[in-house]
Every structure is written in structure tokens, then in C-alpha cells.
Amino acid sequence: MKEKRIGFATRMGAIAATVGSAVGLGNIWRFPYQAGVNGGGAYILVYLLCIVLLGIPIMMSEFIIGRSTHKNMKGAIEQLTPGSPFKIFSYIGVFGALLICGYYSVVCGWVIEYLWSSVSGSLLESNPEQFPQIFTTFIGSPDRCVMWTLLFLALNFLVLSRGIQKGVERMANIMMPLLFALLIVFCVNSLLMPDSTKGLSFLFNINFDKLGWKGVVDAMGQAFMSLSLGVTCLITYSSYFKDDSNLMKDAVTISTLDTLVAILAGIVIFPAVFSFGLDPQAGPDLIFITLPTIFQQMPGGTIWATLFFILLFFASITSTISLSEIPITFLIDEYKFSRGKAIILTAVLMTVVAVLSALSFSTLGDITIAGKNIFDFLDFVGPNFFMLLGGLVTAVYVGWIIKKYVIHDQLTNGGMHRSRFVQPYITICLRFISPVAIIIIFLYYVGLI
Ligand code: TRP
């Protein structure tokens, strides 16, 4: 007998879990530093455009595939278009998720190290000049990096082992509201700082000179990363959605909340950076070097630092849970694994990738692929290859290949509500705008534009 597939219990839970997937290091770590190096307001403007023209339509295309079939991408394609060669692309999602989650967990390990050293007080005992060195020494120490990464993965799979409702959904229902509450407290605190207006004008002033092609391409890639697109994460989650959820409304809610978190993270960081006279264009170091410098000079710094890294921990674990669920659901659906066995196999594979990435700043530093160490290589191919190619495939598949009535049926829940504007908007974006935009990004990366 076929085992019943248990999905999310409530619509709120499904949204919380999907927002949990979307809101991650991408929003709190990557978005602010990218806005910082790409000219602030102009970057944000292009980013918003990317969300509307690429993000929401591709999110919808994944939702349509997942919710119409309640299967992972491979099973879904077999059901929607039997015999279609598109199903081979489902492996992009599964492999992409393993690789992305592998290196992403290493950064999550760094978050735990910083959380631990904030709680124990050792982080803020150091001199500000030492922060860069503390960070490099830490990522260069194999045992500490591997230990925290393994601890993180253990927590991640512990939640997953409790299942969709009791693990994934419950965790998101607890962590997401707390994350929003913490973020708002941080925002208020930042806005009360002496030079907060300078920070805000850096973040919101529109200056296209600093943007250039690189900024535009960065914004497109960031939209993919932030909304968890391209590696079938949203197909997987939406396969657990209820049939009466309103896909368009949910996609807009999820994208809006995700974008809000990214912008709020900018509002937390830049007023503080300016008030303490630090460099807003520090790049990826912003969180692990610039922020500790700020916490150290703030009254109650230990508490602020601890709360900040807790926030980051919530954001990151709800994202890795969603990435891990991709291979797990795939193994359950396609190879009839039990959930327990699927989790064990996924955990083993991800741990291998994670440990190799964690060691790429120390023991395995000499191993390079295309001139990059393992971590940097995965950080490059994950967003720039797997997510983009996957996004292109889902856009083309839903835009051009599947039957129109499936899309209509999913958008209107079988005719329950209207989709007069939504359907043409989605179709035009999926057929033309997204493929062209993704091809432009590819051309940019291979140096043709
Ligand atoms: N969206 C997450 C972030 O912003 C990362 C993430 C989670 C992701 N699941 C994903 C990225 C699936 C791509 C695909 O940090």
C-alpha cells in the first residue's frame, strides 16, 4: 500500500517554513555587503526589479510543479509530461542542494563559533585591531571549524528526523517570529545611533555610477540565492502544500517578507557602521569582523552580540533544513527510502562536502579547482551554475512545455478565484524575461559581456 504523504499542517506553517528557507545568510550576511559594494540604493532598486520580474515568477513556476503533483521534481515531470527529457534536470537540484548545503553549513559553523565566543565573553575581550586576525586564525584551524560544522549539521538533521510537521514546520513556527522580533529590536537600536542618517543615506541613496553590469548581475544572482530558487527547494516544499493554498498570494507574501528582512538587515548594519566610523564596503567580512568591532564598543555589547548570532543561527538553520529536504524527499519519492534512511544517506553525503569545505582554509588549502579553494569554488558554482541553470529550466518548462490548463488550475485552485492579470504576468516573465536575464548572467560570467 502506498504510504500517505504528510504535508504541512497549516497554511501559516507552510509559509513560515518557506520564509525560513528564503531568509538566511543570504539576507543578513550577503545582501548588506553586496549593497555596500555596489552603491546602495541603485543596487536595491535593481534588486527589487529582479524580485518582481524573475524571483516571483520563478518561485511560482516551482510552486506550480510541486503543488500540482505533490512530488519532487523528477516525479512531477514524469506525471505532468510523461517521457519528457526535462526530468534529467531534476538531478541539478539534488546535487546542487548537496553542494550548496555543504559549504553553507561551514558558514553556519562560524556562526556557532561566534555565538559561543559571544556568550563566553571571549570575543569581546579582544582589541578591535585583532578581529581580522581572530577570524583568519579561526577559519584556519581545522578542528574547530570541523567541530562546529558537524555540530550544526547534527542539529539540522535532528530537526529533519522529526518529520515535516513536527520538525520542519514546528521549528519554523517558533524561529521565524523570534527572528522578526529580534530584527526589529536591532533596527530600533541602530536607528537611535548618532550617525544613523549617514548610514541610511548610504543604503538608500541612488547612485548608478557604482553599480555597472557587475552590480546588476550581482543583484540577479542575489535574488536567486535569497528566494531559494533553482535547486528545486520550492518544488520540494510546495509538494507538501495543501491544495487550497493560494499560490500567488503566498509567493508575494514570502518574497515580500524575504526582501523586508534583507533591507532591515541593511538598516541594522549601516547606521552602526557609520556611527562607529567603520568601512561600509568591507565586503564579506562585514559580519564577522566589522560587527564584532561595533558590539565591543556598544553598551551591553555581549548581550547584543549574543542576540545577533542567535538571530543568524535561526536564519541559517531554517535554510539548511530546506536544502537538506531536497535530497531527502527525492530519495523517499523516487527510491522508496524510508525517511530515516533518506536522512542518513543525505547526512553522510552532506557531511563529506561540508568537511572538505571546512578544511579548505587549512589542511586542504592547497587543493584548488579553477584557481579557487573548495569552499570558494562551491560558493561560485552553487549560485552561479546550479541555481541559474535550474531556474532557467523551471522557467522554460513551466513557460513553454507544460499544459496551460495546469498553470491556470494551480493559479485559480481549479477555478475558485481569478487569475486575469496574474497568468499573463507569470507567462511573459517565464517565457521571455527570465530566460533572457539568466542567459545574460551566464554570458557575463564567461566574460562575453
Ligand atoms: N535562501 C537562503 C538564503 O538566503 C539560502 C537557501 C536556502 C537556498 N535554500 C536554498 C538557496 C535553496 C538556493 C536554493 O540564505
Side-chain angles (χ1 to χ4, degrees), residues 442-449:
F442 275 132
L443 292 179
Y444 177 84
Y445 284 128
V446 294
L448 289 175
I449 50 173

Side-chain angles (χ1 to χ4, degrees), residues 20-28 97 100 104 222 224-234 258 315-316 318-320 322-323 326 387:
S21 165
V23 170
L25 295 168
N27 303 59
I28 299 169
I100 294 168
Y104 196 96
Q222 175 62 17
F224 269 80
M225 171 83 178
S226 195
L227 292 181
S228 303
L229 304 178
V231 293
T232 78
C233 186
L234 301 177
D258 182 65
S316 41
T318 44
S319 293
T320 52
S322 75
L323 281 161
I326 300 168
M387 287 183 207

Side-chain angles (χ1 to χ4, degrees), residues 204-224:
F204 294 114
N205 258 356
I206 298 178
N207 170 6
F208 277 97
D209 295 346
K210 275 226 224 102
L211 191 69
W213 265 113
K214 180 184 170 292
V216 174
V217 170
D218 275 353
M220 292 199 239
Q222 175 62 17
F224 269 80

